Amino acid sequence: MEIYLVRHTTPRVEKGICYGQSDLDISDSFELESKEILEKINFDSETKVYSSPSKRCTKLAALFNPIFKEDKRILEINFGDWELKKWDDIPSEEMTPWMTDFVNVKVPNGESYVELNKRSNEFYNEVIRNAASKNIIVCHSGVIRSILAKLTETALKDSFDIKIVYGQVSKITINKTTEVHISI
């Protein structure tokens, strides 16, 4: 079984803006970026395709297969009150506790990384149970890091050492003896 975790392409957003679940559109580089991604994965009409409901994911998922399944569990972290604010404009009394323990501390009116981890891995486990031989999941860096952290037994606090760039494809291969191989 093959599972491809694909991070969306570059979103249309100014640098330095905090965004998570904000429904950003794609940038002008989408055509070039998506072409490069499509060339990395051998897929066909039997490939199951899943996507975060965010536009920046669904537009890419539709290129793999116009009939794909959206799932809210693979949305990016909910940054609550910080959504679409400049990182520099977030009050330090809110930012400091989160920066000190971003794994457990909830963003005001948002969620913690632990909550993202729980829903992401719940989704991943469901895909494994119902998987086709080839699966593509188009989602976000937080979700991908969360899943890869579980598979590599990396502590969540260290998972940001796993670099996930726009358009990155991470391939997970699971053989019949349930061995897992990851190519990032």
Side-chain angles (χ1 to χ4, degrees):
M1 170 190 325
E2 295 175 352
I3 298 174
Y4 294 88
L5 301 174
V6 181
R7 185 178 183 195
H8 58 79
T9 61
T10 306
R12 185 182 308 275
V13 66
E14 181 183 326
K15 287 196 184 291
I17 299 294
C18 175
Y19 66 91
Q21 292 190 4
S22 295
D23 199 13
L24 303 174
D25 207 343
I26 51 176
S27 73
D28 294 338
S29 61
F30 177 73
E31 188 174 326
L32 177 63
E33 287 181 82
S34 62
K35 182 178 184 250
E36 291 174 3
I37 294 166
L38 294 171
E39 290 173 355
K40 292 178 183 177
I41 303 173
N42 184 16
F43 62 95
D44 58 32
S45 61
E46 299 300 311
T47 302
K48 282 191 177 180
V49 180
Y50 303 90
S51 179
S52 158
S54 298
K55 271 187 270 193
R56 60 191 187 266
C57 294
T58 59
K59 289 185 177 184
L60 180 58
L63 297 179
F64 289 110
N65 188 333
I67 302 169
F68 60 88
K69 183 178 181 199
E70 290 183 29
D71 197 303
K72 291 181 179 182
R73 293 175 293 178
I74 53 175
L75 280 165
E76 184 58 278
I77 193 165
N78 180 349
F79 277 118
D81 293 348
W82 300 355
E83 289 281 342
L84 299 180
K85 284 186 177 178
K86 290 184 179 181
W87 282 103
D88 292 341
D89 291 344
I90 298 170
S92 62
E93 62 271 11
E94 291 178 13
M95 180 68 85
T96 301
W98 184 76
M99 290 296 288
T100 303
D101 185 8
F102 69 90
V103 172
N104 297 297
V105 173
K106 280 186 179 190
V107 173
N109 294 308
E111 68 181 334
S112 68
Y113 191 37
V114 167
E115 291 169 316
L116 174 141
N117 181 64
K118 181 179 182 221
R119 63 179 165 79
S120 299
N121 280 290
E122 178 184 279
F123 168 82
Y124 178 78
N125 291 336
E126 188 176 298
V127 168
I128 295 295
R129 284 191 303 274
N130 303 318
S133 60
K134 194 172 290 184
N135 307 271
I136 298 171
I137 302 170
V138 182
C139 56
H140 310 272
S141 62
V143 172
I144 294 169
R145 279 188 188 98
S146 174
I147 292 169
L148 293 177
K150 176 185 175 189
L151 294 174
T152 60
E153 298 179 357
T154 300
L156 286 179
K157 69 179 180 58
D158 299 324
S159 67
F160 277 76
D161 293 340
I162 303 169
K163 300 299 177 208
I164 308 291
V165 298
Y166 295 124
Q168 183 169 318
V169 175
S170 301
K171 180 181 177 184
I172 301 165
T173 306
I174 303 172
N175 65 27
K176 291 180 183 179
T177 61
T178 66
E179 289 181 70
V180 175
H181 301 280
I182 302 168
S183 307
I184 300 174

Short mmCIF file of all heavy atoms in Angstrom, two decimals, residues 7-14 17 19-31 33 52-63 83-84 140 166:
data_model
loop_
_atom_site.label_atom_id
_atom_site.label_comp_id
_atom_site.label_asym_id
_atom_site.label_seq_id
_atom_site.Cartn_x
_atom_site.Cartn_y
_atom_site.Cartn_z
N ARG A 7 1.68 18.25 0.51
CA ARG A 7 1.37 19.58 1.01
C ARG A 7 0.89 20.44 -0.16
O ARG A 7 1.43 20.37 -1.26
CB ARG A 7 2.58 20.24 1.66
CG ARG A 7 2.18 21.59 2.29
CD ARG A 7 3.30 22.27 2.99
NE ARG A 7 2.82 23.51 3.62
CZ ARG A 7 3.60 24.45 4.06
NH1 ARG A 7 4.91 24.33 3.98
NH2 ARG A 7 3.08 25.54 4.60
N HIS A 8 -0.09 21.25 0.10
CA HIS A 8 -0.63 22.15 -0.92
C HIS A 8 0.47 23.05 -1.49
O HIS A 8 1.55 23.20 -0.91
CB HIS A 8 -1.76 23.01 -0.34
CG HIS A 8 -1.32 23.83 0.84
ND1 HIS A 8 -0.60 25.01 0.71
CD2 HIS A 8 -1.47 23.63 2.16
CE1 HIS A 8 -0.34 25.50 1.91
NE2 HIS A 8 -0.86 24.69 2.82
N THR A 9 0.18 23.68 -2.61
CA THR A 9 1.10 24.61 -3.24
C THR A 9 1.09 25.94 -2.48
O THR A 9 0.35 26.10 -1.51
CB THR A 9 0.71 24.83 -4.71
OG1 THR A 9 -0.61 25.38 -4.76
CG2 THR A 9 0.77 23.53 -5.50
N THR A 10 1.88 26.86 -2.94
CA THR A 10 2.01 28.17 -2.29
C THR A 10 0.66 28.90 -2.27
O THR A 10 0.03 29.06 -3.31
CB THR A 10 3.05 29.04 -3.03
OG1 THR A 10 4.28 28.32 -3.13
CG2 THR A 10 3.27 30.36 -2.32
N PRO A 11 0.22 29.32 -1.09
CA PRO A 11 -1.05 30.05 -1.01
C PRO A 11 -0.88 31.53 -1.34
O PRO A 11 0.24 32.07 -1.28
CB PRO A 11 -1.47 29.87 0.45
CG PRO A 11 -0.17 29.74 1.19
CD PRO A 11 0.78 29.06 0.24
N ARG A 12 -1.98 32.15 -1.66
CA ARG A 12 -1.98 33.59 -1.94
C ARG A 12 -2.16 34.31 -0.59
O ARG A 12 -3.28 34.51 -0.12
CB ARG A 12 -3.13 33.95 -2.88
CG ARG A 12 -3.13 35.43 -3.31
CD ARG A 12 -4.31 35.77 -4.20
NE ARG A 12 -4.46 34.89 -5.33
CZ ARG A 12 -3.82 35.01 -6.50
NH1 ARG A 12 -2.98 36.00 -6.69
NH2 ARG A 12 -4.03 34.14 -7.47
N VAL A 13 -1.03 34.68 0.01
CA VAL A 13 -1.04 35.38 1.29
C VAL A 13 0.27 36.13 1.46
O VAL A 13 1.34 35.66 1.02
CB VAL A 13 -1.28 34.40 2.47
CG1 VAL A 13 -0.12 33.43 2.65
CG2 VAL A 13 -1.58 35.13 3.76
N GLU A 14 0.19 37.26 2.06
CA GLU A 14 1.37 38.08 2.34
C GLU A 14 2.27 37.36 3.35
O GLU A 14 1.79 36.71 4.28
CB GLU A 14 0.85 39.40 2.92
CG GLU A 14 1.88 40.42 3.27
CD GLU A 14 1.23 41.65 3.91
OE1 GLU A 14 0.10 42.01 3.53
OE2 GLU A 14 1.87 42.24 4.80
N ILE A 17 2.04 36.53 7.72
CA ILE A 17 0.65 36.44 8.17
C ILE A 17 0.42 35.06 8.79
O ILE A 17 0.82 34.05 8.23
CB ILE A 17 -0.33 36.66 7.00
CG1 ILE A 17 -0.16 38.05 6.39
CG2 ILE A 17 -1.78 36.42 7.43
CD1 ILE A 17 -0.53 39.21 7.30
N TYR A 19 -1.79 32.09 9.35
CA TYR A 19 -2.98 31.47 8.76
C TYR A 19 -2.92 29.98 9.07
O TYR A 19 -1.87 29.39 9.16
CB TYR A 19 -3.05 31.72 7.25
CG TYR A 19 -1.94 31.06 6.46
CD1 TYR A 19 -2.09 29.78 5.94
CD2 TYR A 19 -0.72 31.71 6.26
CE1 TYR A 19 -1.07 29.17 5.24
CE2 TYR A 19 0.29 31.11 5.56
CZ TYR A 19 0.12 29.85 5.05
OH TYR A 19 1.14 29.23 4.36
N GLY A 20 -4.03 29.42 9.27
CA GLY A 20 -4.15 28.00 9.54
C GLY A 20 -5.34 27.51 8.75
O GLY A 20 -5.24 27.06 7.63
N GLN A 21 -6.53 27.67 9.35
CA GLN A 21 -7.74 27.21 8.69
C GLN A 21 -8.38 28.27 7.81
O GLN A 21 -9.42 28.02 7.20
CB GLN A 21 -8.74 26.68 9.72
CG GLN A 21 -8.25 25.40 10.37
CD GLN A 21 -9.29 24.72 11.23
OE1 GLN A 21 -10.45 25.14 11.31
NE2 GLN A 21 -8.89 23.65 11.89
N SER A 22 -7.78 29.44 7.70
CA SER A 22 -8.29 30.46 6.78
C SER A 22 -8.28 29.88 5.37
O SER A 22 -7.31 29.24 4.97
CB SER A 22 -7.43 31.72 6.83
OG SER A 22 -7.52 32.31 8.10
N ASP A 23 -9.35 30.10 4.63
CA ASP A 23 -9.50 29.47 3.32
C ASP A 23 -8.84 30.32 2.24
O ASP A 23 -9.50 30.99 1.46
CB ASP A 23 -10.98 29.23 3.01
CG ASP A 23 -11.17 28.20 1.91
OD1 ASP A 23 -10.19 27.50 1.57
OD2 ASP A 23 -12.29 28.10 1.40
N LEU A 24 -7.52 30.25 2.21
CA LEU A 24 -6.74 31.01 1.24
C LEU A 24 -6.78 30.36 -0.13
O LEU A 24 -6.86 29.14 -0.25
CB LEU A 24 -5.28 31.08 1.70
CG LEU A 24 -5.03 31.65 3.08
CD1 LEU A 24 -3.56 31.50 3.44
CD2 LEU A 24 -5.44 33.11 3.13
N ASP A 25 -6.69 31.18 -1.15
CA ASP A 25 -6.63 30.66 -2.50
C ASP A 25 -5.16 30.36 -2.84
O ASP A 25 -4.26 30.62 -2.05
CB ASP A 25 -7.23 31.68 -3.48
CG ASP A 25 -7.81 31.02 -4.73
OD1 ASP A 25 -7.48 29.84 -5.01
OD2 ASP A 25 -8.58 31.69 -5.44
N ILE A 26 -4.94 29.87 -4.04
CA ILE A 26 -3.60 29.52 -4.50
C ILE A 26 -2.92 30.72 -5.13
O ILE A 26 -3.57 31.65 -5.58
CB ILE A 26 -3.68 28.36 -5.51
CG1 ILE A 26 -4.70 28.70 -6.60
CG2 ILE A 26 -4.03 27.07 -4.80
CD1 ILE A 26 -4.83 27.71 -7.71
N SER A 27 -1.60 30.69 -5.19
CA SER A 27 -0.84 31.79 -5.80
C SER A 27 -0.74 31.58 -7.31
O SER A 27 -1.15 30.53 -7.84
CB SER A 27 0.55 31.87 -5.19
OG SER A 27 1.34 30.80 -5.65
N ASP A 28 -0.16 32.55 -7.98
CA ASP A 28 0.00 32.48 -9.44
C ASP A 28 0.94 31.37 -9.88
O ASP A 28 0.96 31.01 -11.05
CB ASP A 28 0.52 33.82 -9.97
CG ASP A 28 -0.49 34.94 -9.79
OD1 ASP A 28 -1.70 34.65 -9.66
OD2 ASP A 28 -0.07 36.12 -9.77
N SER A 29 1.72 30.82 -8.96
CA SER A 29 2.67 29.75 -9.31
C SER A 29 2.02 28.36 -9.29
O SER A 29 2.69 27.35 -9.50
CB SER A 29 3.86 29.77 -8.35
OG SER A 29 3.43 29.56 -7.02
N PHE A 30 0.70 28.31 -9.10
CA PHE A 30 0.01 27.03 -8.96
C PHE A 30 0.23 26.09 -10.15
O PHE A 30 0.52 24.90 -9.97
CB PHE A 30 -1.50 27.24 -8.76
CG PHE A 30 -2.28 25.96 -8.68
CD1 PHE A 30 -2.21 25.15 -7.56
CD2 PHE A 30 -3.08 25.54 -9.74
CE1 PHE A 30 -2.92 23.96 -7.48
CE2 PHE A 30 -3.80 24.36 -9.67
CZ PHE A 30 -3.71 23.56 -8.53
N GLU A 31 0.13 26.60 -11.36
CA GLU A 31 0.25 25.74 -12.54
C GLU A 31 1.61 25.04 -12.57
O GLU A 31 1.70 23.83 -12.77
CB GLU A 31 0.02 26.55 -13.81
CG GLU A 31 -0.06 25.68 -15.05
CD GLU A 31 -0.42 26.46 -16.30
OE1 GLU A 31 -1.20 27.43 -16.20
OE2 GLU A 31 0.09 26.09 -17.36
N GLU A 33 3.83 24.69 -10.00
CA GLU A 33 4.01 23.84 -8.81
C GLU A 33 3.22 22.54 -8.92
O GLU A 33 3.72 21.47 -8.60
CB GLU A 33 3.56 24.59 -7.55
CG GLU A 33 4.49 25.69 -7.12
CD GLU A 33 3.98 26.37 -5.87
OE1 GLU A 33 4.21 25.85 -4.76
OE2 GLU A 33 3.35 27.44 -6.00
N SER A 52 -8.03 18.11 2.40
CA SER A 52 -8.55 19.11 3.33
C SER A 52 -9.57 19.94 2.55
O SER A 52 -9.42 20.12 1.34
CB SER A 52 -7.40 20.01 3.78
OG SER A 52 -7.87 21.25 4.25
N PRO A 53 -10.60 20.45 3.22
CA PRO A 53 -11.59 21.29 2.52
C PRO A 53 -11.07 22.65 2.07
O PRO A 53 -11.75 23.36 1.35
CB PRO A 53 -12.70 21.47 3.57
CG PRO A 53 -12.49 20.42 4.59
CD PRO A 53 -11.02 20.13 4.58
N SER A 54 -9.87 23.03 2.46
CA SER A 54 -9.31 24.33 2.07
C SER A 54 -9.09 24.39 0.57
O SER A 54 -8.59 23.45 -0.03
CB SER A 54 -7.96 24.55 2.76
OG SER A 54 -8.11 24.59 4.15
N LYS A 55 -9.42 25.55 -0.03
CA LYS A 55 -9.24 25.75 -1.48
C LYS A 55 -7.83 25.42 -1.93
O LYS A 55 -7.64 24.87 -3.01
CB LYS A 55 -9.53 27.21 -1.85
CG LYS A 55 -10.95 27.51 -2.18
CD LYS A 55 -11.07 28.94 -2.69
CE LYS A 55 -11.33 29.83 -1.50
NZ LYS A 55 -11.76 31.17 -1.79
N ARG A 56 -6.85 25.79 -1.10
CA ARG A 56 -5.47 25.56 -1.51
C ARG A 56 -5.14 24.08 -1.61
O ARG A 56 -4.14 23.70 -2.21
CB ARG A 56 -4.50 26.30 -0.59
CG ARG A 56 -4.57 25.92 0.88
CD ARG A 56 -3.76 26.93 1.70
NE ARG A 56 -3.61 26.60 3.09
CZ ARG A 56 -4.40 27.03 4.07
NH1 ARG A 56 -5.42 27.82 3.79
NH2 ARG A 56 -4.16 26.70 5.32
N CYS A 57 -6.00 23.23 -1.05
CA CYS A 57 -5.84 21.78 -1.16
C CYS A 57 -6.77 21.19 -2.22
O CYS A 57 -6.36 20.35 -3.01
CB CYS A 57 -6.11 21.12 0.19
SG CYS A 57 -4.90 21.56 1.46
N THR A 58 -8.03 21.60 -2.21
CA THR A 58 -9.00 20.99 -3.13
C THR A 58 -8.66 21.24 -4.60
O THR A 58 -8.91 20.38 -5.44
CB THR A 58 -10.44 21.46 -2.84
OG1 THR A 58 -10.51 22.88 -2.98
CG2 THR A 58 -10.89 21.04 -1.45
N LYS A 59 -8.08 22.39 -4.90
CA LYS A 59 -7.71 22.66 -6.30
C LYS A 59 -6.63 21.70 -6.78
O LYS A 59 -6.64 21.27 -7.93
CB LYS A 59 -7.28 24.12 -6.47
CG LYS A 59 -8.47 25.06 -6.36
CD LYS A 59 -8.11 26.49 -6.64
CE LYS A 59 -9.37 27.34 -6.59
NZ LYS A 59 -9.12 28.74 -6.96
N LEU A 60 -5.71 21.33 -5.89
CA LEU A 60 -4.68 20.36 -6.25
C LEU A 60 -5.27 18.94 -6.28
O LEU A 60 -5.00 18.18 -7.20
CB LEU A 60 -3.52 20.45 -5.25
CG LEU A 60 -2.36 19.49 -5.48
CD1 LEU A 60 -1.74 19.67 -6.87
CD2 LEU A 60 -1.29 19.70 -4.40
N ALA A 61 -6.08 18.60 -5.30
CA ALA A 61 -6.68 17.26 -5.25
C ALA A 61 -7.48 16.97 -6.52
O ALA A 61 -7.44 15.85 -7.05
CB ALA A 61 -7.59 17.13 -4.02
N ALA A 62 -8.18 17.97 -7.04
CA ALA A 62 -9.00 17.78 -8.25
C ALA A 62 -8.15 17.44 -9.47
O ALA A 62 -8.65 16.80 -10.41
CB ALA A 62 -9.81 19.04 -8.51
N LEU A 63 -6.88 17.81 -9.45
CA LEU A 63 -6.00 17.45 -10.57
C LEU A 63 -5.64 15.96 -10.55
O LEU A 63 -5.39 15.37 -11.59
CB LEU A 63 -4.73 18.30 -10.55
CG LEU A 63 -4.93 19.81 -10.74
CD1 LEU A 63 -3.59 20.52 -10.67
CD2 LEU A 63 -5.64 20.11 -12.05
N GLU A 83 -5.92 34.10 13.35
CA GLU A 83 -6.08 33.90 11.91
C GLU A 83 -6.02 35.22 11.16
O GLU A 83 -6.73 36.17 11.50
CB GLU A 83 -7.39 33.18 11.60
CG GLU A 83 -7.45 31.73 12.01
CD GLU A 83 -6.74 30.76 11.07
OE1 GLU A 83 -6.47 31.09 9.91
OE2 GLU A 83 -6.48 29.62 11.52
N LEU A 84 -5.16 35.26 10.16
CA LEU A 84 -4.96 36.38 9.23
C LEU A 84 -4.39 37.64 9.89
O LEU A 84 -4.42 38.71 9.29
CB LEU A 84 -6.24 36.68 8.44
CG LEU A 84 -6.72 35.53 7.56
CD1 LEU A 84 -7.99 35.92 6.82
CD2 LEU A 84 -5.63 35.08 6.58
N HIS A 140 -1.95 19.84 4.80
CA HIS A 140 -1.15 20.95 5.31
C HIS A 140 0.08 20.44 6.08
O HIS A 140 0.10 19.31 6.55
CB HIS A 140 -2.00 21.81 6.23
CG HIS A 140 -3.31 22.20 5.61
ND1 HIS A 140 -3.45 23.31 4.82
CD2 HIS A 140 -4.53 21.59 5.63
CE1 HIS A 140 -4.71 23.40 4.40
NE2 HIS A 140 -5.37 22.37 4.87
N TYR A 166 6.10 23.84 0.62
CA TYR A 166 4.95 23.84 -0.28
C TYR A 166 5.18 22.84 -1.42
O TYR A 166 6.26 22.80 -2.00
CB TYR A 166 4.70 25.22 -0.88
CG TYR A 166 4.32 26.27 0.13
CD1 TYR A 166 5.04 27.45 0.24
CD2 TYR A 166 3.23 26.08 0.97
CE1 TYR A 166 4.69 28.42 1.17
CE2 TYR A 166 2.87 27.04 1.91
CZ TYR A 166 3.60 28.21 2.00
OH TYR A 166 3.25 29.16 2.92
#
